[in-house]
Amino acid sequence: MSALNLVLESIYWILPAYIANAVPVILGGGVPLDFGKNFLDGKRIFGDGKTIKGFGVGVIIGTLVGVLQGRAELGFLISVGALCGDLAGSFLKRRMNMESGEGLPVVDQLGFVVFAILFGSLIEIPTLDKIAVILTISFILHYGANYIAHKLKLKKVPW
Ligand code: CTP
Ligand code: MG
């Protein structure tokens, strides 16, 4: 497989995760998944940034991408994985005393991707080179997107 082919196939494989993770930013909001409840440590379980609607629209639209790709079941698993990874990251951040929206490098960029790969692997395990490319591209894309959002004055900081 040529390098370009590998990169394109990797993006294609993980695409439902990117969509599932991005959609809640635009269509999410409302009642939080943790219903405002605290964990045993007295801090929020996930926080206000993780909502029922965000999770729902993320799964639905991520799965639709999988349907368009002709692999609905894989798209569904990758989407659910991405959103569960996003939740796990928020759970970890709340335990670390971080406010909703505070950045945690690596976890923010790769947490949802790692979970998406794990969930998707229930029916299709990507090759190791594909996994390596997915992780690398996800890191670059995240910083690229934030840099552009900063330049467009949508974000205060470029990370
Ligand atoms: N969002 C949502 N439901 C989700 C995930 C995200 O409604 N399950 C929306 C929220 O409005 C959230 C925004 O998308 O504020 C950005 O998502 P994200 O960066 O993942 O959350 P943060 O607000 O940064 O919170 P956290 O610190 O917990 O990651
Ligand atoms: Mg965030």
Side-chain angles (χ1 to χ4, degrees):
M1 200 190 302
S2 75
L4 179 62
N5 239 316
L6 176 63
V7 169
L8 292 177
E9 281 199 16
S10 301
I11 294 173
Y12 190 82
W13 197 93
I14 201 67
L15 193 62
Y18 289 164
I19 303 296
N21 196 55
V23 158
V25 181
I26 304 156
L27 298 177
V31 182
L33 264 163
D34 65 8
F35 293 102
K37 287 194 170 35
N38 291 338
F39 192 59
L40 301 168
D41 56 8
K43 299 179 186 83
R44 285 289 293 275
I45 302 174
F46 301 121
D48 287 333
K50 304 294 121 131
T51 68
I52 296 171
K53 191 166 70 172
F55 196 96
V57 290
V59 170
I60 290 168
I61 299 181
T63 303
L64 275 178
V65 173
V67 170
L68 291 177
Q69 291 177 321
R71 34 171 225 173
E73 199 184 349
L74 183 61
F76 172 75
L77 285 173
I78 290 174
S79 302
V80 172
L83 287 153
C84 288
D86 182 48
L87 274 185
S90 293
F91 180 78
L92 182 70
K93 282 156 75 173
R94 301 299 90 80
R95 309 286 73 73
M96 293 172 72
N97 231 341
M98 297 173 72
E99 297 289 329
S100 286
E102 248 186 271
L104 181 58
V106 184
V107 168
D108 281 341
Q109 294 84 36
L110 296 185
F112 77 97
V113 178
V114 170
F115 272 64
I117 293 171
L118 288 175
F119 277 51
S121 294
L122 287 172
I123 56 171
E124 187 191 307
I125 302 173
T127 54
L128 275 184
D129 55 353
K130 220 183 250 183
I131 292 174
V133 171
I134 289 171
L135 294 179
T136 308
I137 285 174
S138 301
F139 220 79
I140 296 168
L141 276 183
H142 185 94
Y143 281 105
N146 284 339
Y147 180 78
I148 291 166
H150 173 67
K151 284 285 171 209
L152 294 173
K153 300 196 187 327
L154 292 171
K155 264 184 75 103
K156 282 195 187 126
V157 289
W159 52 80

